[in-house]
Amino acid sequence: MRVLIQLRPSPDLVAAVTDPSVPSSASDVADDLPGIVLDHSYAPVTVPHPMPAVPGGDPLSLNQPLVFSMAPQDASVVVRGEIADDELTSRIALLPATRRDVVAIYADPAIETTLTCAGDPPVGDWHDVERLLRLPDLAAEGLDGSGVPLAVIDTGINAAYVSTARGREVRLDHERSWNPKSVSGTPGDYAVDHGSMCAFDALIAAPNASLVDVPVLLSRRRGGSTLDGLLSDAIAAYAHLREVLDAQPAESRALVVTNSWGSFSPRWDFPPGHPGNYSDNPAHPFNLIVGSLAEAGADILFAAGNCGTQCRDSRCAYPDRPIVGANSHPRALSIGGIDTGGTRVGYSSQGPGRLAARKPDLCAYTHFTGSGALGDTEPDSGTSAACPVAAGLVAAVRTRWPSTTLSPAQLRTLLRRTADDRSAVGYDHDYGYGVLDAAGVIAALRRRAAKAA
């Protein structure tokens, strides 16, 4: 089984791993771990240490305000490796005893694009989505995504295709784009696929945003079973995005991250309750790094998934509570789907989430004729489309409201409070707090600006 090994080496070594100008390898950090075949192609990644934000906080609880320390004496490091299936239990039990720097061993589950439900024809087109998102009103407020980096964590973007489909040039940020070592190619020049659909849909509300291409879902490993780990590549991608964010001036700091993927099978994970589990464990390294990136100023959105009870994809393997891992992270927005007629699509996953009960947070538009990236007659569908549609509205807001002025937590609250409530009064597990309401967002920002003046 492919696993992530979390270690706490000497502070000097942690500092070296954290410094992007210093090359470091898995063997520098974790040489001679008995029973583990290290993946030397995977560079070690620093994982920040969560601490209570106020004195007297519970040091063992992640369900409170937190700060994340990257200080060498606090942070840890993860590397990737493999343990023979027939030795898994014994190695996990013995390793911390034989190596005191081993903190924990976690699952490194496969991740996939968020599943879609085929069959029904599209409802409306992307110009309807523009209308519903009040694009002229956003433009009148100067909210068009200009200068905002918008990271698409997916299968890669084909910028030429997206430009043609939109009928205008798109901005691609080559310098800030990133790919795992196992993925070759040029940012913005990957095959037309799911990632191009996500980029197209994110640009509906933020046409001038700068796309940051992060093709994590193209990562593949040889010789693998379904246990081939890709979540480890997402960890490395998020470490890169932390560098992107930290390099920005504080007064204009903004980074929007859209994620239309997830882990769909408990067979690829340790079981809930196991310390190495991902799906239900807020202390898993990926969930920690998501929390730290949000705390540093990034807006992170995840698709809720396509495991809704009315139209569940056959591959959805969680019998209940299918919004797992970071898709249900308390510091991320989990996005469900409605069509342009305002009806929830049957495949949109319902809550409660596994890391936070009130998931999904919101719904956004999907199942419309849009990019054509999945086929000439195929709609942009699934919560895979709804998530970047919502991310585009967030990027539009960031044009004039950087994270130092409106923190990601404050923006999440604003989006929830202004949402168009549906179904039962108040929060429900079908629609969350309701449907994204651009008019409500604009009005709330105007009130906030007037109050600050």
Side-chain angles (χ1 to χ4, degrees):
M1 181 177 186
R2 196 175 290 274
V3 294
L4 289 162
I5 306 102
Q6 183 180 19
L7 302 107
R8 184 162 286 116
S10 68
D12 288 349
L13 194 47
V14 175
V17 172
T18 306
D19 186 345
S21 67
V22 177
S24 57
S25 66
S27 51
D28 293 334
V29 177
D31 208 9
D32 296 329
L33 285 176
I36 291 187
V37 179
L38 283 179
D39 184 345
H40 294 282
S41 68
Y42 184 79
V45 178
T46 307
V47 177
H49 179 63
M51 299 184 296
V54 296
D58 182 353
L60 300 179
S61 175
L62 298 176
N63 296 312
Q64 60 182 325
L66 295 169
V67 294
F68 292 86
S69 173
M70 293 287 277
Q73 66 272 22
D74 297 327
S76 57
V77 173
V78 294
V79 296
R80 184 166 68 190
E82 194 163 355
I83 301 176
D85 289 347
D86 59 352
E87 296 181 0
L88 190 62
T89 301
S90 60
R91 290 295 178 188
I92 289 176
L94 291 174
L95 200 55
T98 55
R99 283 283 297 261
R100 297 183 63 183
D101 55 343
V102 173
V103 176
I105 300 171
Y106 293 94
D108 185 13
I111 53 178
E112 296 182 359
T113 53
T114 301
L115 309 172
T116 55
C117 185
D120 294 334
V123 180
D125 60 28
W126 66 283
H127 296 297
D128 293 313
V129 178
E130 284 185 321
R131 172 178 55 80
L132 290 163
L133 292 177
R134 308 293 186 104
L135 201 66
D137 295 338
L138 289 171
E141 295 288 325
L143 305 178
D144 61 3
S146 294
V148 178
L150 202 168
V152 180
I153 315 294
D154 214 274
T155 60
I157 297 169
N158 189 300
Y161 177 85
V162 177
S163 294
T164 300
R166 286 189 54 78
R168 58 178 290 178
E169 287 295 313
V170 302
R171 302 168 191 265
L172 191 97
D173 191 332
H174 289 266
E175 184 178 349
R176 291 167 169 163
S177 296
W178 179 92
N179 56 276
K181 284 186 178 177
S182 62
V183 176
S184 59
T186 304
D189 197 29
Y190 293 101
V192 177
D193 205 330
H194 194 266
S196 296
M197 179 193 79
C198 293
F200 179 99
D201 295 337
L203 293 175
I204 293 176
N208 289 332
S210 297
L211 296 170
V212 178
D213 195 358
V214 188
V216 164
L217 297 179
L218 291 182
S219 182
R220 294 289 184 271
R221 299 288 176 272
R222 288 187 304 167
S225 60
T226 54
L227 296 177
D228 277 358
L230 299 178
L231 194 64
S232 47
D233 288 321
I235 289 175
Y238 270 61
H240 165 75
L241 293 177
R242 178 60 185 263
E243 294 173 13
V244 167
L245 196 64
D246 289 346
Q248 297 178 28
E251 63 272 14
S252 59
R253 183 168 294 174
L255 174 64
V256 182
V257 188
T258 184
N259 301 269
S260 292
W261 52 270
S263 176
F264 294 94
S265 175
R267 293 182 293 108
W268 304 336
D269 195 354
F270 290 114
H274 188 288
N277 166 267
Y278 164 64
S279 66
D280 294 61
N281 182 2
H284 187 281
F286 184 64
N287 294 327
L288 284 181
I289 209 162
V290 166
S292 70
L293 190 65
E295 204 64 25
D299 301 294
I300 301 173
L301 298 92
F302 272 87
N306 299 336
C307 301
T309 53
Q310 293 90 348
C311 176
R312 175 178 289 161
D313 188 284
S314 60
R315 290 175 290 176
C316 295
Y318 285 93
D320 56 10
R321 300 179 66 183
I323 309 177
V324 310
N327 301 66
S328 62
H329 199 288
R331 287 172 174 78
L333 284 170
S334 177
I335 306 298
I338 63 165
D339 63 30
T340 59
T343 301
R344 177 182 160 274
V345 292
Y347 49 71
S348 182
S349 295
Q350 293 119 324
R354 288 182 173 265
L355 295 189
R358 290 201 165 197
K359 299 292 175 179
D361 292 271
L362 302 160
C363 282
Y365 302 103
T366 185
H367 216 90
F368 52 84
T369 300
S371 66
L374 304 182
D376 291 340
T377 60
E378 292 296 319
D380 288 6
S381 62
T383 56
S384 280
C387 182
V389 165
L393 181 59
V394 172
V397 171
R398 286 300 180 204
T399 316
R400 293 183 55 197
W401 294 84
S403 63
T404 44
T405 304
L406 182 69
S407 72
Q410 289 172 322
L411 181 52
R412 291 196 298 272
T413 299
L414 186 152
L415 294 172
R416 292 168 184 146
R417 285 181 176 170
T418 57
D420 182 11
D421 191 13
R422 299 290 177 92
S423 187
V425 176
Y427 182 87
D428 65 80
H429 285 133
D430 285 345
Y431 291 89
Y433 289 91
V435 179
L436 277 181
D437 182 354
V441 171
I442 291 171
L445 292 175
R446 286 175 178 164
R447 290 193 297 272
R448 192 178 183 90
K451 189 175 179 180

